[in-house]
Amino acid sequence: MAVYWWVMRRCAGRPTPEIARRGAGREALLGGVIGLGFILVSTLLITAMGGYSFSRAGDGFVPVVWTAVMVQIGAAVTEELLFRGLALQALERLWGSWAAIVITSLFFGVAHLGAPGANAWSGLAIALEAGALLGAAFLWRRNIWFAVGLHFAWNTTEELLGVPVSGHTSEGLFTVDVDGSALLTGGDFGLEASVVPVLIGAVLAVTMLVLARRNGEVKSRHGARR
C-alpha cells in the first residue's frame, strides 16, 4: 500500500482516492458479497450437473480458515494494486477504459499460465472471468477495496471448499471429488477453468460495465469520461 501510494503521488502526480480509508469497509463488504455469491452459485451449478461432490475434511476449523484468510488477503491486495490500481489506470490514461480492460485482462490470464494444470483454455478463462470482471468492478466503483473484497471472497471460498484456486490445491474445510468433462469441472486447474463461472462472470462484468458507463466512469482515449 505504501509503495502504491508513493508511486501514484510521486510518479503519476495524482491523488489516490481509490485507496481512501473512508468507506473502505463498506466497499470491501459489497465486493465480498458479490465474490461469495459468484463462487457459490458456480459451484452449486457444477455440483447439480454431477461435476463435484463434497465431503467434510477432518482437519480443524480455525487453523484452516485462518490460513486461507491470511494467504488470500495478501494475494487479493497485491494483485488488485498491480493490475487494477497501477496497470489499468495507467493504460486507461493512454488509450481509454476499453483498451485498458482488454490489455490487463489478457495479461492477467497470461500471468496464470505458469500455475499447475494451466493451459491455453485456463488462461483465456482467467482473462475473461477474472481479468474482465475485476477490471469492470474497479471501473464501476473506482475503488480498490471493492475489487479486493470481490477477489478475496472468491479465492477464499474456493480454498475453503477444497477446490483448487488457479491450479493450487490447499487444505480446505471440504474435499472435492471431480467427475465429468474438464469443460464443466475445470479439471486439474479447478473451478476457474469451468465454462460455468466464465459465463456467469461475463454476465457480471457486462452488468458492471453498463453501470460504470451510466455513472460516467468509462473514459475515452483522451481521458474524458462518457
Side-chain angles (χ1 to χ4, degrees):
M1 290 298 298
V3 170
Y4 179 86
W5 180 89
W6 186 89
V7 168
M8 286 301 191
R9 289 298 183 105
R10 301 299 181 184
C11 299
R14 71 166 186 81
T16 53
E18 68 275 13
I19 61 170
R21 287 178 293 178
R22 185 175 182 180
R26 181 184 65 252
E27 292 291 331
L29 180 60
L30 177 58
V33 169
I34 294 174
L36 175 64
F38 172 50
I39 295 303
L40 288 181
V41 169
S42 298
T43 303
L44 286 171
L45 288 174
I46 296 171
T47 303
M49 289 185 278
Y52 293 161
S53 59
F54 293 90
S55 56
R56 182 74 171 85
D59 301 302
F61 178 85
V62 173
V64 171
V65 173
W66 177 257
T67 300
V69 168
M70 290 298 101
V71 169
Q72 299 306 336
I73 282 179
V77 171
T78 301
E79 291 184 11
E80 291 315 304
L81 287 175
L82 285 173
F83 283 93
R84 262 58 66 176
L86 291 172
L88 189 146
Q89 291 188 100
L91 291 167
E92 188 178 44
R93 294 183 71 177
L94 291 173
W95 298 311
S97 300
W98 300 119
I101 284 277
V102 172
I103 295 170
T104 54
S105 295
L106 290 174
F107 272 104
F108 201 61
V110 169
H112 287 77
L113 287 178
N119 52 35
W121 162 248
S122 68
L124 179 60
I126 286 288
L128 293 172
E129 74 192 353
L133 175 55
L134 291 166
F138 179 77
L139 292 185
W140 175 33
R141 307 299 294 183
R142 288 288 170 180
N143 190 285
I144 280 291
W145 304 117
F146 178 76
V148 165
L150 198 163
H151 197 154
F152 167 75
W154 173 334
N155 284 2
T156 304
T157 303
E158 280 189 297
E159 183 170 340
L160 293 178
L161 288 173
V163 177
V165 181
S166 301
H168 298 279
T169 303
S170 302
E171 189 177 41
L173 297 175
F174 300 89
T175 57
V176 59
D177 292 320
V178 179
D179 184 37
S181 167
L183 191 62
L184 171 64
T185 65
D188 293 336
F189 191 78
L191 176 75
E192 291 153 339
S194 165
V195 70
V196 174
V198 170
L199 294 175
I200 296 174
V203 171
L204 288 172
V206 169
T207 302
M208 290 181 183
L209 286 172
V210 169
L211 292 172
R213 188 180 179 91
R214 286 179 180 175
N215 293 342
E217 297 295 349
V218 175
K219 299 179 181 179
S220 68
R221 180 175 178 178
H222 300 293
R225 297 193 179 189
R226 52 179 182 163

